[in-house]
Amino acid sequence: MLSQGFVSAAAIAASVLFILSLGGLSNQEKAKRAVWYGIVGMAVAVGFTALGPGIGGYGWLIPMVLIGAGIGTYLARKVEMTEMPQLVAALHSFVGLAAVFVAWSADLERRRVLAARAADGVMQEFSAFAALVATKAPDELTFLQIEVVLGIFIGAVTFTGSVIAFGKLAGKVDGKPRQLPGGHLLNAGAAVLSLVLAVMYLNGAGFWTLILLALLAFFIGYHLIMGIGGADMPVVVSMLNSYSGWAAAAIGFTLSNDLLIVTGALVGSSGAILSYIMCKAMNRNFVNVILGGFGGSQGPAAEIEGEQVAIDAGGVASALNDADSVIIVPGYGMAVAQAQSAVSDLVRKLRAAGKEVRFGIHPVAGRLPGHMNVLLAEAKVPYDIVLEMDEINDDFASTDVVIVIGSNDIVNPAAQEDPNSPIAGMPVLKVWEAKQVFISKRGQGTGYSGIENPLFYKENSRMFYGDARESLNTLLPLID
């Protein structure tokens, strides 16, 4: 058993590693090293915590750690990159549910301690946490109760919200915004009832108040995320990431665990900042995201004139062979088709022919922030030709050919031209300003988001139908 001094020193070291990990993830070239910082930091955190003072029950602890490690290893090997967003959402739900269970357990231990004090007796089988609670003064126990309420509420909202986000990302739940009759009034009513239950609990009401509080928070999490459209899931995932961090911090305060507080605060604050960046990229109000009040249409969409004109691989190859500058815009369709390697091969062939090739990446492309950057890095696309929307948007007007691979909303001119569009006001990549635009798409449907795209009907646009990977592999031999 290690002393508290060793555990505290390990917590500081783990916290530094987590900070270095987050800092390194801001740069693609440093990302691999940053991930290792996080891995080592978590190993230090778990190991030294398990060996710290007051920790026992290794007969339960060790098997649970091994089972969890086994499940994690299995998922890491099995889950495809296209399934990573829903996996992240699922992991957020675990953090939220853990916060609820820990908070319930903390209150039960608090009640045991108070019962022992009232009976003027001595508890012979104090748990490590109960022993900690027994040392607290009455005002400190009040703060513990506040921490319990926050842990339950944030954790429960995170749990059901993440479960619904997982369902929408995995296609198991309808991606359209759905709310029960009453809409936001139901959420507001549930929040007010939650506050009433919290006040009752703080004034001595029974454990039943915490059960009802959790049920109300479960409903709020469910109803909030059900009210958000599937096209807005990247923002939702980053928001739930923030919620899971604050839930972890609440657990840390309850357990007097400094490392959980620091880690939760890091995750919570970074998730909140990322949510703000995502909202800015989609021209959304941050408060509306928190309240689940966006993702639906604003009125009847403008009618689209013209028709979608198809083109074959030969026509696309001819345009590419004549072009001097090419911009590729990837979206979730590239991930679904696992076409990143074929895209990388196309880039190498075009660059070998002396053409300028770059990528335009929208902040919310894919279903997870940074989704496209990760896929392109996996395919070994050079980092220096992968540019963000603000860096490349002014260059489309002077570009010969743009190839859009599986994108819809992020290249949709309706965002700027149709005030009734569900994505009205959202900054988009202005691909239609290029001389020629080729859209690689499976078929004529609206895709996952269900939003029609006028780009597909423009005179300088051609539809390159088919599976993205197969289409690109057909195209590659035709490039000079």
Side-chain angles (χ1 to χ4, degrees):
M1 196 71 66
L2 298 176
S3 68
Q4 185 59 46
F6 277 110
V7 175
S8 298
I12 294 172
S15 299
V16 171
L17 288 169
F18 292 148
I19 293 170
L20 291 174
S21 179
L22 281 175
L25 291 174
S26 63
N27 184 294
Q28 289 173 311
E29 296 180 4
K30 299 177 181 178
K32 285 186 178 180
R33 184 171 58 189
V35 169
W36 276 108
Y37 285 146
I39 292 171
V40 174
M42 186 56 67
V44 170
V46 173
F48 279 81
T49 299
L51 296 174
I55 304 299
Y58 291 107
W60 287 99
L61 180 62
I62 294 174
M64 291 298 102
V65 169
L66 293 176
I67 292 172
I71 294 173
T73 301
Y74 171 77
L75 291 176
R77 293 180 178 275
K78 181 179 182 295
V79 173
E80 300 288 346
M81 183 57 67
T82 53
E83 299 172 324
M84 195 58 64
Q86 48 261 49
L87 175 62
V88 170
L91 294 176
H92 291 162
S93 73
F94 296 158
V95 178
L97 193 58
V100 174
F101 286 152
V102 169
W104 277 344
S105 299
D107 187 68
L108 291 174
E109 294 293 74
R110 179 187 69 86
R111 292 176 187 277
R112 287 183 65 202
V113 170
L114 292 178
R117 285 180 178 175
D120 198 24
V122 178
M123 296 180 64
Q124 300 297 324
E125 297 183 358
F126 262 14
S127 67
F129 179 72
L132 176 65
V133 172
T135 65
K136 293 182 180 291
D139 58 338
E140 292 178 311
L141 288 178
T142 300
F143 278 107
L144 174 63
Q145 287 181 278
I146 295 173
E147 293 158 8
V148 165
V149 168
L150 291 175
I152 291 174
F153 186 81
I154 299 173
V157 169
T158 302
F159 173 67
T160 49
S162 297
V163 169
I164 297 303
F166 167 83
K168 290 197 173 191
L169 290 167
K172 301 180 183 298
V173 176
D174 189 352
K176 295 180 180 179
R178 305 284 188 188
Q179 286 189 329
L180 297 173
H184 294 305
L185 289 177
L186 284 177
N187 296 334
V192 170
L193 284 175
S194 298
L195 181 60
V196 170
L197 288 169
V199 172
M200 292 174 62
Y201 165 70
L202 293 174
N203 283 278
F207 186 76
W208 60 271
T209 55
L210 297 183
I211 296 177
L212 290 181
L213 175 65
L215 292 175
L216 287 170
F218 283 145
F219 169 77
I220 292 172
Y222 157 80
H223 203 228
L224 281 176
I225 307 306
M226 282 298 293
I228 298 177
D232 298 312
M233 279 301 112
V235 184
V236 174
V237 170
S238 60
M239 179 184 70
L240 290 170
N241 178 56
S242 179
Y243 287 178
S244 69
W246 300 125
I251 296 174
F253 280 110
T254 302
L255 300 178
S256 297
N257 187 307
D258 294 338
L259 183 56
L260 264 178
I261 296 171
V262 172
T263 305
L266 286 173
V267 174
S269 56
S270 61
I273 293 170
L274 184 57
S275 297
Y276 173 77
I277 294 172
M278 294 293 101
C279 289
K280 185 177 180 182
M282 298 183 72
N283 195 36
R284 302 296 190 188
N285 184 287
F286 186 68
V287 176
N288 284 348
V289 178
I290 296 174
L291 297 179
F294 69 100
S297 61
Q298 308 301 312
E303 293 187 9
I304 300 175
E305 298 180 354
E307 61 179 348
Q308 297 183 19
V309 180
I311 193 171
D312 60 12
V316 177
S318 177
L320 288 173
N321 288 331
D322 293 338
D324 292 321
S325 58
V326 178
I327 295 177
I328 299 174
V329 177
Y332 186 66
M334 183 184 78
V336 171
Q338 298 183 10
Q340 58 268 29
S341 296
V343 171
S344 182
D345 292 339
L346 176 64
V347 169
R348 281 192 289 270
K349 204 160 187 180
L350 291 173
R351 296 184 79 190
K355 305 179 189 300
E356 181 188 31
V357 183
R358 293 174 295 167
F359 285 83
I361 307 295
H362 194 283
V364 296
R367 296 194 191 172
L368 192 71
H371 199 175
M372 296 299 102
N373 302 71
V374 172
L375 287 176
L376 295 176
E378 179 187 39
K380 295 182 170 50
V381 171
Y383 299 134
D384 60 336
I385 66 171
V386 179
L387 304 178
E388 298 297 327
M389 176 178 63
D390 292 339
E391 298 175 299
I392 203 169
N393 229 3
D394 293 335
D395 296 346
F396 284 108
S398 58
T399 299
D400 295 322
V401 173
V402 170
I403 301 178
V404 177
I405 304 176
S407 294
N408 188 16
D409 297 348
I410 63 172
V411 293
N412 194 333
Q416 298 185 355
E417 300 169 358
D418 181 7
N420 290 328
S421 171
I423 57 172
M426 170 180 163
V428 292
L429 291 159
K430 302 176 184 179
V431 299
W432 59 89
E433 294 182 351
K435 294 178 182 177
Q436 291 180 286
V437 183
F438 301 111
I439 300 101
S440 177
K441 197 169 180 288
R442 286 182 179 272
Q444 293 187 352
T446 56
Y448 177 75
S449 70
I451 301 174
E452 194 64 77
N453 193 340
L455 170 69
F456 304 159
Y457 300 84
K458 289 188 176 291
E459 292 183 1
N460 63 335
S461 297
R462 294 293 182 267
M463 307 303 296
F464 189 26
Y465 291 123
D467 177 84
R469 183 171 59 179
E470 294 177 3
S471 297
L472 292 174
N473 285 333
T474 303
L475 179 64
L476 281 170
L478 305 178
I479 303 297
D480 294 338

